[in-house]
Amino acid sequence: MNRIIALLALAAALALPATTSRAAELVMFERPGCAWCARFNAEIAPLYGKTEESRAAPLRRVDLNGPRPADLAGIDPGPFTPTFVVVQEGREIGRIRGYPGDAFFFGLLDRILSKAGSEPERS
């Protein structure tokens, strides 16, 4: 009997991560030769992984010239690159069309993350 209970508890524990909500992610739709993408890559990309925003919404890059990942099939990136889309549980929470420059990028992103309930933790 104890063995059955232990196995059921183990099965429930293994199933738990699959049932919890996925964190938000920042999807960057880009294409080769995009000058504004290159500017983002020079100004924001080197430090993004070290920010609180990155912990709330890791950056994921999608090349518009390549195949669209299946989990993003319902997201229309639009015609402009870069386009940044905050996605949570397969749904678009908000987007930034184009790259607004380093002075505005994090403010706009923080507003979207706040709406998603994934506000960056400030220390």
Side-chain angles (χ1 to χ4, degrees), residues 95-116:
R95 69 175 52 209
I96 301 170
R97 289 179 182 89
Y99 173 58
D102 59 351
F104 297 102
F105 180 79
F106 284 107
L108 293 170
L109 180 57
D110 287 347
R111 188 177 311 164
I112 294 168
L113 292 174
S114 175
K115 184 169 68 169

Side-chain angles (χ1 to χ4, degrees), residues 19-59:
T19 60
T20 58
S21 67
R22 295 187 318 225
E25 66 180 345
L26 176 63
V27 180
M28 177 183 178
F29 291 98
E30 60 187 338
R31 62 173 47 105
C34 166
W36 290 101
C37 299
R39 191 164 163 200
F40 171 85
N41 288 333
E43 295 176 356
I44 300 292
L47 62 98
Y48 186 77
K50 301 172 189 164
T51 65
E52 298 297 328
E53 287 82 1
S54 173
R55 285 186 267 296
L59 179 64

Side-chain angles (χ1 to χ4, degrees), residues 82-100:
T83 294
F84 301 91
V85 181
V86 176
V87 177
Q88 188 172 35
E89 296 180 1
R91 278 188 16 247
E92 178 177 335
I93 303 302
R95 69 175 52 209
I96 301 170
R97 289 179 182 89
Y99 173 58

